Structures are given as structure tokens and as C-alpha cells.
Amino acid sequence: MKRYLNFFIALIAIQGDLYAAEAGMPQLDPKYWASQAFWLILVFTVLYFSISKFYLPKIKNNLDDRENRIKDDIEDANKSKELSESKLKEYEKILEGAKKEVIKIQLESKAKLDKDIHEKKEKIEKEIEKELIQAQKEISELKKNSISDIHNISREIAANIIENISGDKLNESSIKAAVEEISKKNVGKYL
Amino acid sequence: MASNPMQQFSVHKIGPEIKIAGIDLSFTNASLFMIISASIILLFLFFGTKEKKIVPDKIQLIAEMFYTFVAKMISDTAGSKAKPYFPFIFSLFMFVLFCNMVGMLPYSFTVTSHIIVTLILALFIFIAVTIIGFVKHGFKYLSIFVPSGVPVVLLPLITVIEIISYLSRPVSLSVRLFANMMAGHTMLKVFGGFVISLGLLGGWLPLGFSIALTGLEILVAFLQAYVFAILTCIYLNDALNLHH
């Protein structure tokens, strides 16, 4: 309760103060009006001229510079973009051309390779055939030779055996005839 | 007990008395704070334009923001014709804004809380706008008092009202700023006084009010500078474009 009482006393006191203040508004005292007007005009004039002649052009210049710079940059960027797009197209064209060429070269080389292989194959086949014929010839010759060789060897062996067993030398022509007879009978079995 | 809340508005002489042709032009605390405000503006603009950076630093950005803010305000309300008056409106806005803001500092003096200061600014604007109107349009400028599309019967009455409203422009312009500043600062002082007189027990409530009011007053300080400048732009628009 005492607190509220204090509050009201204070309020009343301050209200009294307020009314006292209203009696004297310093703003309405004309004593320094001329002085205020004079200094206001002086200060504001100085402020106005230094702002309008010095600072605003600077700010404006800077803002314009920035705007121009941004514009230029955007223009440059657009130009670069166009350039890169055209280069990309060019590149794609070149790439396509190259791809076509690659396919062409591939086909060509394949054909050439096929032809080469074919030729070589034929050549080799011919050679092989030749060699085969040669070999066959050789083989048949060898066969012939070997038969006569066999005759000779068997004749010698027969003569030797007979000599060793009987101690007698047999007539060569008879041995030959005997061997030839047997071999005629049996060669067909082994050859 | 709390001191007189109007005490803060009293003007007193600093230094010797300067009298020119019998008129007292002494340097006062009002003059001092005008110079302080103007110096802060110039210093701020000096640092804001010191370096020309493509990517601005903070202070340069703020200076440029003020520039574009005022430029946009003028172009929105008065159009492109008002461009030559941009430096004046910019200076006006900055001066009023910084005087208001400097006034928010404790123990400072609010230049714009004096009717004589705001009245001189408003009268200068009023006279300049009237002269611009007559120079641009000659006597056709008087047609601003005769709005189109009004019934002939009402025309005399409307014209009289228009003339009165035109003539009251400097008064409304100056009183708006002065009264706002004075009322706000008085209120702050009164609440400050409450804090002292109610002491530790009851002083918290007015202290809270005081803090809230300080925020409000900062808003008002900006708003009144803006209103002052934008009304100047609107008056200028009337004089330049003449379509009521």
C-alpha cells in the first residue's frame, strides 16, 4: 500500500513538473531564432555544396561504373557462350566426319585384309599342294627304292645266315630268286 | 526530483556573443549539433566514397544504399524531371536524418526539435517549389488550385480549400517534424524521470517503457526524415508535372 502511495505521490509531483515545463517551451523563445536560422543556412549550404559537387558525382560514377562493368561482363559472357556453342557444333561436325571416315577406313582395310588373306591363302594352298605332290612323289620313289633295298638287304641277310648255318656259300642268283619270291608274297602285307 | 523535461530543448550560447547588425548570431549548442550532424554526414560520405571498389565494402555499400534509396524515392514520386533537384533532396534527407539520429544520443541536442529550424527548411522548400512551378508553367501553375472534374457549383469552395492547403504546406511540414521530435524526446525524458523518482522498487516498468520508446523514437527519427523528404518530392512533383 505504501508503495502505491509513493507511486501516486511521484506521479503528481512529475505532473506538476510537466505543467511547469509547459509554461516555458524553449522553442518559442525568439532569443536565438536568428542565430539558429543563420547557422542552419550556413551549415546546410556547406553540406549541400559539398554533397552535390563532390560526393554525389563520386557515388554516381561508381554506381555507373559497376553497372557498365556488369553489362560488359554479361555481354562478354554471352559472346563467349555463343563462341563456345559454335565451337561445339564445329567439334561435333568434325567428330561426325571422323566417325564416317573411321567406318570407311575400317571397311576398306577389312576388304584389303580379306583380299590379302585370300591371296596368301591361295598361294600357300598351291604351295602346299605342290609340296604334297612332291612329297608323294618322293614317298612313292622311296617306296620303290626301299623295296629294292629290302630285296638287297634280305638277300645279304639270307646269304649271311645260310653261310653261318651251313658254312657253304650259296649261289647268289638262287638266293635272289628265293628272296624275291618271298618278298613278292609278303611285301604287300607290310607296305 | 526529475528535472524539467523541456530543459533538453533549451538553447544556450557557446563562446563569445556574435552580433551582426544588431542581430544576435552567437554560436549555440544548436549550431554545434548542426555542425556535428553535418560533419558526420560528410565524414561518412568521405569514407563511403574513398575507395572505388567494384565489390563495395560495408561503408561504401551503405553510402550507395542511401544514394539509391533517395534516387528511387525521387523517381517514384516526382519522375525523371526532378533529377536536377536530387542533390538538394539527398542533402535534406541526410541532414534531417542525421540531426534526428544524433538527437537520440544521450546528452545531445536535437536540432530538428526546434520549430524555427524546421520552419526555415519548410519555408525554403515551399518558396523554391512555388518559384519552380511559376518558372516552368507561368501562370498556368495557378491551375493547381482548380482541380479538374469538380462540379462548377463546388468550384469556388474547392479552390479556396486548395489555396489554404497549399499555403499551409510549410506549416504542416515543419510542425510535423518539430512536434514529433519534441514529443518523443519529452516523453523519453518524462519516463526517465519516472525511473529515477520511483527508484529500485517501481522504476522497472518505466525503464522498460523507456527502452521501448527509445526503439520507437529511432524509428520515428528515420520515418520523419523520410516523410520530410518524400513530401518535398511530392510538392516538387506538383510543381514540375502539374496534373492535380
Side-chain angles (χ1 to χ4, degrees), chain B residues 172-194:
Chain B
S172 69
L173 193 59
S174 60
V175 168
R176 183 181 298 112
L177 179 58
F178 141 75
N180 264 292
M181 295 325 288
M182 186 191 71
H185 284 264
T186 310
M187 207 146 69
L188 274 178
K189 193 82 178 180
V190 169
F191 274 96
F194 277 150

Side-chain angles (χ1 to χ4, degrees), chain A residues 11-38:
Chain A
L11 263 184
I12 288 158
I14 289 157
Q15 258 195 324
D17 242 17
L18 265 179
Y19 286 128
E22 223 176 56
M25 238 167 86
Q27 285 94 335
L28 297 181
D29 177 12
K31 191 184 171 196
Y32 287 113
W33 278 8
S35 153
Q36 273 174 300
F38 168 75

Side-chain angles (χ1 to χ4, degrees), chain B residues 98-115:
Chain B
F98 276 73
C99 285
N100 291 353
M101 285 300 181
V102 167
M104 284 309 296
L105 297 173
Y107 297 105
S108 70
F109 177 86
T110 316
V111 178
T112 42
S113 68
H114 274 252
I115 180 73

Side-chain angles (χ1 to χ4, degrees), chain B residues 198-217:
Chain B
L198 296 183
L200 263 181
L201 279 175
W204 298 103
L205 189 69
L207 184 67
F209 266 110
S210 227
I211 292 163
L213 275 176
T214 308
L216 180 74
E217 279 311 301

Side-chain angles (χ1 to χ4, degrees), chain B residues 66 92-102 221-223 225:
Chain B
F66 270 119
L92 188 73
F93 173 70
M94 292 298 268
F95 184 69
V96 175
L97 178 66
F98 276 73
C99 285
N100 291 353
M101 285 300 181
V102 167
F222 173 79
L223 204 66

Side-chain angles (χ1 to χ4, degrees), chain B residues 134-147:
Chain B
F134 276 112
V135 167
K136 294 260 168 182
H137 306 287
F139 280 102
K140 258 181 79 185
Y141 184 55
L142 291 174
S143 68
I144 187 178
F145 300 126
V146 190

